[in-house]
Each structure stands twice: as structure tokens, then as C-alpha cells.
Amino acid sequence: MNDNPISLPESDPARTAWLMRYEPWLQILARREIDSRFHGKFSASDAVQQTMLEAWKSWENLQADEEPGRRAWLREILAHQLAKLARHYAG
């Protein structure tokens, strides 16, 4: 498990600042979504770190100009990361 602060590339401070503003919200979502079978195997922080890195890398795919669309984009990435971690630890 990884409880270290999230570290994103510094080459685009505006992008990083925008993503970091959603980190607490993503933490709440991830904690609610992780199945009890995986407690102790991976944490919400693990999923959120992977989500933030993936969002940073796929920034060009963000097509939403409005807040609800941006949050939906991040939530979709989080869902993908949670599923990936669950598959990995399920066996």
C-alpha cells in the first residue's frame, strides 16, 4: 500500500494544480468503492495515485469544458484503476 503524497510531473503546473484539486474527492470515492476483500492489499491512495498519473498522461483526451464532465472523466479513470487493482489482487 502507498500512503505517500501524490507526485505528478512538474512540466505543466496548471495541469498538476487542476488535478490536485480533485485528489480529496477521488480519495473519498475510492474508499467507498474498494471491496472489503481488498482491504490490506491496496488502498484508496494507491488507486488515486494511479488515477492522477493516468489523468495527467491522458490530458489530451479530456474533452469536457464543464465541471460535471471533468469529474465524470476522472471518475471513469478511477473506476478503471480500481478494476485493474481488483483483478491484480483477486488472483
Side-chain angles (χ1 to χ4, degrees), residues 6-89:
I6 292 175
S7 177
L8 295 172
E10 296 179 15
S11 60
D12 189 339
R15 179 189 316 186
T16 299
W18 183 87
L19 287 169
M20 291 305 294
R21 135 177 193 222
Y22 289 96
E23 190 265 341
W25 175 71
L26 289 167
Q27 289 282 350
I28 291 167
L29 291 178
R31 278 194 295 273
R32 286 184 14 200
E33 296 295 324
I34 294 174
D35 188 293
S36 62
R37 295 176 295 157
F38 301 112
H39 287 226
K41 295 184 179 181
F42 67 89
S43 70
S45 294
D46 296 328
V48 171
Q49 176 134 7
Q50 288 305 117
T51 298
M52 301 287 274
L53 289 171
E54 186 61 34
W56 204 96
K57 289 190 286 186
S58 63
W59 184 258
E60 290 74 28
N61 296 335
L62 174 60
Q63 297 177 0
D65 293 331
E66 305 278 327
E67 185 77 10
R70 292 174 178 180
R71 289 172 70 112
W73 178 70
L74 286 172
R75 189 172 188 143
E76 181 178 328
I77 295 170
L78 176 63
H80 175 77
Q81 293 303 320
L82 287 168
K84 185 175 171 181
L85 286 164
R87 280 192 306 274
H88 175 77
Y89 287 102

